Amino acid sequence: MNKDYMFLKNLYTLLESGYSVEESLKICQNIMHYPMIEKMIDKLRNGESLEVVISYSDFPKLFLEYFYFFKNKNCLSEAIQKSLDICVMKQEYQNQLKSKLTYPLILMAFLLLFSIFVVFVLLPNVNQLFDSFQIHKSFMTQLMFLFFYTMPIFVIGIGVSVIFLLVRLFYALQKKSYQVIEWYLKLPIFKVCLQKYFSLKFAVYYHELLNEEIDSTSIIALLNEQMTESDLKIVLYEINNRLHDGEALEDILEDFEYFDQLFLSFFQMYMKNPNQKQSLSHYIDLTYEQIDLWISQFLKYFVPSIYGFVAIFVITIYVSIIIPMMNVISDI
């Protein structure tokens, strides 16, 4: 847990225990050094509420987005806790993925550096050795040499392409560029991830408002009004407009490419029986379990693939370079 989340956890715990806002902040300051606390206390003494102080502080953007929503529905400490729980869960998934991918990525970096060494240092010397002894390279050896030359370009090309696509997607989500996002929805892998992302986020907000006994049209209108800074605005804006045009919410969602089929199934169950408000809660729980399964399956195939690729590369070097050089030495 990073410093921001640790501070927020201590803050809502103290508020729930009955301490005043200023007392809670001072205790947090004694627990850990956090430069923002002094600024927050100064703003409170100038008459600002804690809600306003938190909303305009330098906390993570994801936390502020959820806090801005939950603070209107819950008490202050509960709004902090709910927002923090979502952020911590996201961080845990990221840390889990990072820890499991660290070693394979190190192997890939080693493979890239070693392939560069082979292309720019080893192969020129081997070619010079072959030429000096007038050794004719077989077609298989020439093919393997070509493999070595193209390896760095292949690895760098894939790496740059993936990074570019991810950065462009994150930027599009941040800027709410729906045209770019719709282009990503045409790519199978990104489509699955984006549909799950928007479905889960929409379900969290929608489920929270169900407890307020508000009808579906009012929920969409309220979310559309509140979520001005969220990337979910892309979805809410179009749904809200189509509702005003007289379309039924079920038909809109069924025709909407931003949501996955699992979410639509649970939402249809809720619409058939509005008393089953836990339908969306079940979807949220199942989605987190599904994400865990996806991560496990991805790593199950990704890690052995990296090992296999490194092994093939080493064997290829042995067959195409080491064995011919040993033959040359034996002939001498």
Side-chain angles (χ1 to χ4, degrees):
M1 185 178 293
N2 63 31
K3 212 169 185 179
D4 291 326
Y5 295 160
M6 183 66 72
F7 163 69
L8 290 167
K9 181 180 179 180
N10 292 331
L11 179 59
Y12 83 70
T13 302
L14 291 167
L15 290 173
E16 284 186 338
S17 300
Y19 291 92
S20 68
V21 173
E22 189 167 344
E23 287 174 338
S24 300
L25 289 172
K26 287 182 177 179
I27 295 174
C28 288
Q29 194 173 33
N30 292 328
I31 295 174
M32 59 186 294
H33 175 68
Y34 196 74
M36 196 184 301
I37 294 179
E38 286 292 342
K39 297 178 182 178
M40 295 177 71
I41 293 175
D42 290 340
K43 290 181 179 179
L44 288 170
R45 289 174 177 172
N46 290 332
E48 298 283 358
S49 66
L50 183 59
E51 294 180 6
V52 174
V53 172
I54 292 178
S55 297
Y56 290 95
S57 299
D58 296 329
F59 291 115
K61 185 177 179 181
L62 181 64
F63 169 81
L64 293 175
E65 178 183 325
Y66 282 102
F67 176 76
Y68 181 79
F69 173 76
F70 285 123
K71 72 182 179 65
N72 297 318
K73 309 299 169 190
N74 308 97
C75 68
L76 186 60
S77 60
E78 189 176 354
I80 297 174
Q81 181 181 6
K82 285 189 173 184
S83 304
L84 185 59
D85 288 343
I86 294 173
C87 295
V88 170
M89 183 176 294
K90 177 188 175 185
Q91 187 181 51
E92 287 176 352
Y93 280 115
Q94 289 177 337
N95 292 339
Q96 177 185 355
L97 193 58
K98 286 178 183 177
S99 63
K100 293 182 178 180
L101 286 179
T102 297
Y103 186 62
L105 290 177
I106 291 175
L107 280 179
M108 288 190 67
F110 166 77
L111 178 63
L112 175 62
L113 294 175
F114 188 61
S115 63
I116 292 175
F117 167 78
V118 169
V119 169
F120 292 101
V121 178
L122 186 59
L123 286 185
N125 291 329
V126 170
N127 280 324
Q128 185 177 3
L129 180 65
F130 281 8
D131 292 339
S132 63
F133 285 92
Q134 297 181 347
I135 299 174
H136 176 71
K137 293 192 288 289
S138 65
F139 174 76
M140 185 60 66
T141 301
Q142 293 179 8
L143 192 62
M144 290 181 179
F145 274 38
L146 179 62
F147 170 73
F148 293 140
Y149 282 120
T150 56
M151 175 59 62
I153 299 174
F154 175 74
V155 175
I156 293 174
I158 290 180
V160 171
S161 299
V162 170
I163 292 173
F164 171 76
L165 288 172
L166 291 176
V167 170
R168 187 167 180 250
L169 177 59
F170 291 144
Y171 182 80
L173 289 171
Q174 185 178 11
K175 297 299 181 181
K176 297 182 281 294
S177 178
Y178 70 92
Q179 291 181 332
V180 177
I181 294 174
E182 287 182 354
W183 180 82
Y184 276 93
L185 285 170
K186 297 176 182 177
L187 306 178
I189 295 178
F190 286 99
K191 180 179 180 179
V192 172
C193 295
L194 282 171
Q195 285 182 333
K196 188 61 67 179
Y197 172 77
F198 282 112
S199 298
L200 180 59
K201 205 166 187 178
F202 181 83
V204 169
Y205 286 123
Y206 196 96
H207 178 258
E208 185 68 21
L209 289 175
L210 282 179
N211 298 322
E212 303 295 325
E213 301 298 334
I214 307 175
D215 63 273
S216 298
T217 302
S218 300
I219 290 177
I220 298 298
L222 184 59
L223 288 175
N224 183 57
E225 181 181 345
Q226 287 189 349
M227 300 291 99
T228 54
E229 299 300 323
S230 172
D231 47 27
L232 195 60
K233 179 71 174 180
I234 303 170
V235 175
L236 295 169
Y237 178 78
E238 184 171 347
I239 295 176
N240 190 57
N241 286 343
R242 292 175 66 173
L243 282 173
H244 283 299
D245 291 337
E247 294 187 55
L249 182 58
E250 304 96 303
D251 296 334
I252 296 173
L253 297 182
E254 187 68 33
D255 187 47
F256 215 48
E257 60 182 345
Y258 284 84
F259 297 127
D260 68 332
Q261 286 299 319
L262 182 62
F263 168 76
L264 294 176
S265 299
F266 276 98
F267 194 84
Q268 287 171 356
M269 290 169 56
Y270 160 71
M271 294 300 291
K272 290 178 181 178
N273 186 3
N275 292 325
Q276 292 183 347
K277 296 181 180 180
Q278 295 305 312
S279 295
L280 292 183
S281 178
H282 295 326
Y283 166 75
I284 294 170
D285 294 337
L286 283 173
T287 297
Y288 286 131
E289 294 177 5
Q290 195 176 44
I291 292 173
D292 283 331
L293 180 62
W294 284 357
I295 292 175
S296 300
Q297 287 181 335
F298 171 74
L299 294 174
K300 178 182 178 181
Y301 294 103
F302 180 73
V303 175
S305 298
I306 296 300
Y307 290 149
F309 200 71
V310 172
I312 291 173
F313 191 77
V314 173
I315 293 173
T316 304
I317 290 178
Y318 181 78
V319 171
S320 61
I321 296 179
I322 304 300
I323 291 180
M325 290 180 64
M326 291 177 63
N327 291 334
V328 170
I329 294 174
S330 64
D331 291 339
I332 296 176

